[in-house]
Amino acid sequence: MTERTDELFRADSYLTTCEAHVLEVNERGGIILDRTVFYPTGGGQPGDRGVMTKEDGAEIRIGTTLYVGDDIVHVPEEGQTLPQPGETVSCAIDWDNRFRLMQMHTTMHLMLALIPRPINGCQVGADKSRIDFDLGDFDLDKERLEADLNALTAADHSVTITAVADEELDARPELVRTMSVAPPRGKGTVRLIQIGRADAPVDLQPCGGTHVARTGEIGRLRIGKIENKGAHNKRIAVHLEG
């Protein structure tokens, strides 16, 4: 199945509202639109929640957003009157929650810049995130890591969206750090998130998630619990303070 929904969040993470047409309401009540600002769960980042407003002014609370096959499905909370196919709705994400997820997702990329090792998993949260590294013999110093992480945010590096051809990504395997999830292929290009200058990036990774525009928007971070998750694997918790 080809994608039916224009993913507005890919080009602009700060877009909070849009109008859209309902394409389908599936058998479980999930709403599929022709365009959306709602990010679906993926890449360790939770799906957006928010509100859809119908033509008659009735509001539908969206509890989460998911990919189901190739479709982006907006999942309403229980007990609500659903729209009809062809109806126009106004969409608005929970911006406070989304922005904190953006702050934390960019933070996870900064962690990758500071720890040059493969990762086995990542979970982005609004207040606390965690990332699993295959550390091997890497020397991990918690206090130094926290200081270096906050130095990167304070440096206010730019965060920009670029792209790389599938063939170039194949020739540059060092760009792919995750050991569990391959970047999406098949469109000819892969979306990259670049932190810092193009000639000397702090980090450059394939990523479909939403991010802040500058690292200075993240604020103060704290390294939390570090757990052993195998012979070489360590899970590092990062907290967003304030």
Side-chain angles (χ1 to χ4, degrees), residues 143-164:
E143 291 184 0
R144 184 177 65 196
L145 178 62
E146 181 172 299
D148 289 346
L149 186 61
N150 282 297
L152 284 177
T153 64
D156 198 29
H157 295 287
S158 62
V159 182
T160 54
I161 300 169
T162 65
V164 63

Side-chain angles (χ1 to χ4, degrees), residues 166-223:
D166 288 348
E167 296 79 9
E168 184 179 351
L169 186 62
D170 290 336
R172 300 176 64 187
E174 72 277 4
L175 291 178
V176 182
R177 298 278 297 282
T178 177
M179 300 172 66
S180 56
V181 181
R185 307 290 187 97
K187 295 183 179 180
T189 61
V190 175
R191 183 178 187 261
L192 299 179
I193 296 298
Q194 174 186 294
I195 302 177
R197 304 194 321 266
D199 61 340
V202 173
D203 188 65
L204 183 64
Q205 294 286 328
C207 182
T210 61
H211 291 269
V212 294
R214 305 195 66 87
T215 63
E217 296 181 66
I218 295 173
R220 185 75 186 172
L221 298 161
R222 176 173 58 84
I223 299 297

Side-chain angles (χ1 to χ4, degrees), residues 6 13 19 28 56 76 82 86 89 111 116 118 165 173 189 193 199 201 212:
D6 186 7
S13 296
E19 287 199 345
R28 295 189 177 183
D56 62 5
L82 302 179
V89 292
M111 290 286 287
T189 61
I193 296 298
D199 61 340
V212 294

Side-chain angles (χ1 to χ4, degrees), residues 59-76:
E59 292 187 346
I60 303 168
R61 295 182 303 279
I62 302 299
T64 190
T65 311
L66 305 170
Y67 267 120
V68 178
D70 291 317
D71 284 325
I72 294 177
V73 178
H74 306 77
V75 182

